[in-house]
Amino acid sequence: MNTKLKRDFIKICSDGYKQGWHERNGGNLSYRMKDEEVKEVKAELNEDSEWKEIGTEVPSLANEYFMVTGSGKYFRNVELDFEDNVCIIKLNEDGTKYKIVYGLVNGGRPTSELPSHLMNLEVIKNRNEDLRVVYHAHPCNVVALSFVLPLDEEIFTREIWEMETECPIVFPKGIGVVPWMVPGGKDIGIKTSEIMKEKDVALWAHHGMFVCGRDFDEAFGLMHTVEKSAEILVKVMSITNEKLNTIRPQDFRDLQEPFNVTLDEKFLYEKSSKKIGEK
Ligand code: 2HA
Ligand code: ZN
């Protein structure tokens, strides 16, 4: 296989690894393929493999094809041996089962977070047909903040937004927060996909982030923007727990017209405390 999709998939895996977001087998990636992308590789697909339970139902994704990283596989190795680490799966006609039609040539299964990925891919498809990528990574700074900021989407979003003017323009719907949960199953998938019905970013406390996008650049760029702001906040908090200067609610409102974004007023509360993480 030698397609642009494969090259783009490899690039985000390598870029994420170089950022330090994918220790060992940390993180996973999925992409809902376009019809023309399936057609391009059709001759290389093996449709005879056996159907397996997804562990959840995603009827809006019935019969579709997805490129996904393998369970236990390392992002570092995707560029070295794509066919050993990545697969293409097809879903059955009611969105309850999958089969591997390409890749994972040395055995294995799709990512342990397959239920979360597919549930997210389903809600984002229903939001906008063009949204195709779901990306999970373990970036340091945002995870660090999940130990010291309240696990409240209004406070988390606002503190991250204040660190970089770019943030409310890149993720105007803010960041949703999932409290610590056992990863890898349907329950965390349900919580995350509830967030993704509206937002492009979900934080998994003490674990990592899930983001979505129309393409790999957009998903990677979003992960990078949130993590960069989190890094600035970690630096600020390592100096002080009170800001002398900041971007104020009216400043955020002033961004809306020139950048054509609408910001939810729930994130633009007047603060009664100067302490970071307090309202
Ligand atoms: O090991 O990141 O959440 C892959 C993961 C599980
Ligand atoms: Zn993870």
Side-chain angles (χ1 to χ4, degrees):
M1 187 174 292
N2 180 16
T3 60
K4 180 172 185 318
L5 172 59
K6 176 176 168 180
R7 290 191 293 277
D8 289 348
F9 194 99
I10 290 172
K11 177 167 170 276
I12 183 175
C13 290
S14 299
D15 287 351
Y17 173 74
K18 285 176 201 145
Q19 290 293 329
W21 300 341
H22 299 287
E23 75 292 340
R24 203 174 182 277
N25 60 320
N28 24 73
L29 174 66
S30 61
Y31 173 81
R32 182 168 58 84
M33 292 170 71
K34 297 176 185 166
D35 290 344
E36 62 264 29
E37 289 164 337
V38 176
K39 231 177 250 161
E40 201 182 354
V41 298
K42 197 84 187 177
E44 296 180 70
L45 305 184
N46 169 21
E47 300 268 351
D48 299 331
S49 48
E50 67 178 289
W51 291 108
K52 305 215 166 110
E53 296 290 334
I54 298 169
T56 188
E57 321 72 44
V58 283
S60 310
L61 302 180
N63 299 314
E64 293 213 64
Y65 291 79
F66 302 84
M67 189 175 277
V68 296
T69 47
S71 178
K73 300 293 188 179
Y74 293 26
F75 267 50
R76 171 70 183 97
N77 293 336
V78 169
E79 68 176 342
L80 303 176
D81 192 346
F82 179 83
E83 279 72 19
D84 178 41
N85 292 287
V86 176
C87 60
I88 295 175
I89 58 170
K90 181 187 184 179
L91 300 200
N92 68 347
E93 69 289 340
D94 63 1
T96 58
K97 294 188 173 72
Y98 73 88
K99 66 180 174 188
I100 297 173
V101 296
Y102 184 85
L104 289 176
V105 290
N106 297 308
R109 16 187 202 94
T111 168
S112 59
E113 302 293 357
L114 190 64
S116 277
H117 276 266
L118 291 175
M119 281 188 267
N120 287 320
L121 285 162
E122 182 175 52
V123 298
I124 62 176
K125 180 188 175 190
N126 291 337
R127 173 144 70 91
N128 175 351
E129 278 273 346
D130 293 335
L131 288 167
R132 296 181 173 277
V133 180
V134 170
Y135 178 34
H136 169 58
H138 297 169
C140 254
N141 291 286
V142 79
V143 173
L145 290 176
S146 73
F147 293 92
V148 296
L149 289 182
L151 298 177
D152 170 291
E153 66 166 38
E154 292 178 15
I155 295 176
F156 225 96
T157 298
R158 175 64 178 276
E159 294 296 354
I160 294 280
W161 276 7
E162 280 189 38
M163 291 299 110
E164 244 198 335
T165 300
E166 192 94 334
C167 286
I169 300 161
V170 176
F171 48 102
K173 300 282 186 194
I175 301 172
V177 179
V178 179
W180 187 88
M181 289 178 74
V182 175
K186 183 174 177 178
D187 292 347
I188 196 165
I190 292 171
K191 278 267 185 276
T192 312
S193 59
E194 274 165 12
I195 291 170
M196 290 250 171
K197 274 184 197 148
E198 196 214 350
K199 296 177 170 34
D200 298 334
V201 191
L203 168 73
W204 281 9
H206 325 319
H207 182 144
M209 256 192 287
F210 261 85
V211 300
C212 67
R214 286 172 295 187
D215 54 32
F216 297 115
D217 281 344
E218 210 173 69
F220 184 87
L222 177 52
M223 186 78 75
H224 205 183
T225 304
V226 178
E227 172 60 3
K228 172 84 179 284
S229 276
E231 182 178 352
I232 299 171
L233 187 51
V234 167
K235 287 186 200 298
V236 171
M237 291 177 87
S238 67
I239 305 168
T240 175
N241 65 351
E242 283 190 16
K243 284 173 245 170
L244 184 59
N245 314 297
T246 193
I247 306 170
R248 293 151 305 164
Q250 189 54 44
D251 300 331
F252 286 119
R253 290 184 194 107
D254 292 344
L255 289 170
Q256 297 182 105
E257 205 239 292
F259 289 95
N260 194 25
V261 289
T262 306
L263 305 177
D264 193 329
E265 279 290 320
K266 74 180 170 192
F267 301 121
L268 303 182
Y269 49 86
E270 286 301 330
K271 290 184 175 178
S272 57
S273 167
K274 277 186 180 255
K275 290 224 169 68
I276 295 168
E278 289 184 8
K279 272 201 170 172

